[in-house]
């Protein structure tokens, strides 16, 4: 049965971590849709026109290393304001969402635009300071030298771009369950998400 779980939220709210665990618990496939925009953003940085890059995107583009860098995240949110780029990525995401065995997709517009009919929708948030701290810690762990204030500035700029764009802005679907992870541990956030999905009819894999 195709059971779709849509998980949206701003950068570093914890949606990716929740999505991976939810996919494991409910035994379904997971698509991090941010990677699609990051792959297009990366190709734009390499000099390719973003609309052509989005139309030519293939699975191999999502497996290459280096999509998680701050520069590529910034480029992703810039190409994500282009309606033709978004349009080129819709069919792939919808086909993924309706696959047999169910699917969890995380991003910005999954519950509102890509899968408005999703059986379960979550909207994950956290304060900008906490989100910037999480990203900062990730960069430090990866051995990158970054300035915290700069990371916080980037988080705020990306929020503004994602919430302010005309096409598919970041906002909760009316029927989404909101989870604020500001003061939650990963385990608490995951448990809250699982309970919300079960309340919408999700059945754990045995
Ligand atoms: O996918 P998204 O950008 O929303 O965030 P993430 O990659 O899931 O989480 C960003 C970082 O915050 C990761 O290093 C998580 O381990 C951490 N995190 C946390 O500390 N507490 C939470 N409740 C959720 C995530
Ligand atoms: O992990 P993080 O939340 O920092 O970013 P991401 O999910 O990898 O997404 C990177 C950028 O792609 C976002 O800032 C959005 O501008 C864009 N994006 C989007 O517009 N729609 C989606 N469904 C997913 C990502």
């Amino acid at each position: 049965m195709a059971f779709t779980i849509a998980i949206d939220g701003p950068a570093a709210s914890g949606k990716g971590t929740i999505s991976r665990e939810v996919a494991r618990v409910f035994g379904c496939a997971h698509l991090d849709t941010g990677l699609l925009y990051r792959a297009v953003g990366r190709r734009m940085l390499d000099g390719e026109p973003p609309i052509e890059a989005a139309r030519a995107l293939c699975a191999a583009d999502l497996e290459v290393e280096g999509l998680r860098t701050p520069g590529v995240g910034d480029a992703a949110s810039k190409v994500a304001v282009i309606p033709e780029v978004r349009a080129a990525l819709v069919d792939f995401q919808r086909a993924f969402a309706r696959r047999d065995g169910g699917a969890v997709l995380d991003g910005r517009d999954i519950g509102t635009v890509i899968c408005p009919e999703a059986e379960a929708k979550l909207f994950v948030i956290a304060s900008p300071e906490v989100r910037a701290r999480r990203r900062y810690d990730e960069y430090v762990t990866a051995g990158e030298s970054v300035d915290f204030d700069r990371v916080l500035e980037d988080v705020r700029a990306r929020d503004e771009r994602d919430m302010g764009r005309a096409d598919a802005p970041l906002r909760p679907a009316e029927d989404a369950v909101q989870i604020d992870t500001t003061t939650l541990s990963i385990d608490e956030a995951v448990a809250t998400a699982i309970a919300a999905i079960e309340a919408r009819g999700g059945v754990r894999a045995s």
Side-chain angles (χ1 to χ4, degrees):
M1 189 190 70
F3 187 93
T4 307
I5 302 166
I7 305 187
D8 292 304
S13 54
K15 62 191 179 304
T17 305
I18 290 173
S19 298
R20 283 190 292 278
E21 201 50 26
V22 158
R24 194 185 63 74
V25 168
F26 292 92
C28 57
H30 171 217
L31 177 64
D32 170 356
T33 64
L35 287 181
L36 302 171
Y37 294 90
R38 283 173 182 267
V40 174
R42 221 263 287 270
R43 287 172 73 153
M44 179 186 72
L45 294 175
D46 289 343
E48 207 175 320
I51 297 172
E52 281 170 33
R55 289 183 181 149
L57 205 68
C58 62
D61 292 321
L62 307 182
E63 284 159 21
V64 278
E65 302 251 309
L67 290 181
R68 296 268 178 220
T69 63
V72 172
D74 188 61
S77 77
K78 286 181 178 155
V79 302
V81 305
I82 305 169
E84 291 87 350
V85 165
R86 305 200 70 84
L89 303 175
V90 167
D91 288 350
F92 175 78
Q93 295 176 83
R94 289 200 177 138
F96 190 98
R98 299 316 292 173
R99 59 170 53 200
D100 286 343
V104 47
L105 286 81
D106 75 288
R108 301 291 187 288
D109 62 340
I110 308 304
T112 50
V113 173
I114 301 298
C115 305
E117 75 300 338
E119 282 76 9
K121 298 182 188 177
L122 306 180
F123 195 76
V124 185
I125 59 165
S127 75
E129 290 76 15
V130 163
R131 292 188 284 122
R133 175 61 56 189
R134 291 174 183 166
R135 271 291 132 87
Y136 176 81
D137 289 346
E138 284 178 342
Y139 295 140
V140 170
T141 304
E144 290 171 42
S145 75
V146 280
D147 176 51
F148 175 77
D149 289 338
R150 180 71 205 283
V151 176
L152 179 56
E153 229 173 79
D154 286 352
V155 161
R156 290 212 160 105
R158 208 125 72 78
D159 282 359
E160 249 170 60
R161 217 178 282 143
D162 288 350
M163 293 190 263
R165 69 180 173 226
D167 190 16
L170 171 65
R171 62 176 177 82
E174 270 177 24
D175 51 350
V177 175
Q178 184 158 299
I179 301 177
D180 186 342
T181 69
T182 305
T183 59
L184 297 185
S185 67
I186 291 177
D187 285 353
E188 288 168 335
V190 167
T192 308
I194 290 170
I197 293 163
E198 287 184 312
R200 294 285 169 92
V203 179
R204 289 172 187 248
S206 49

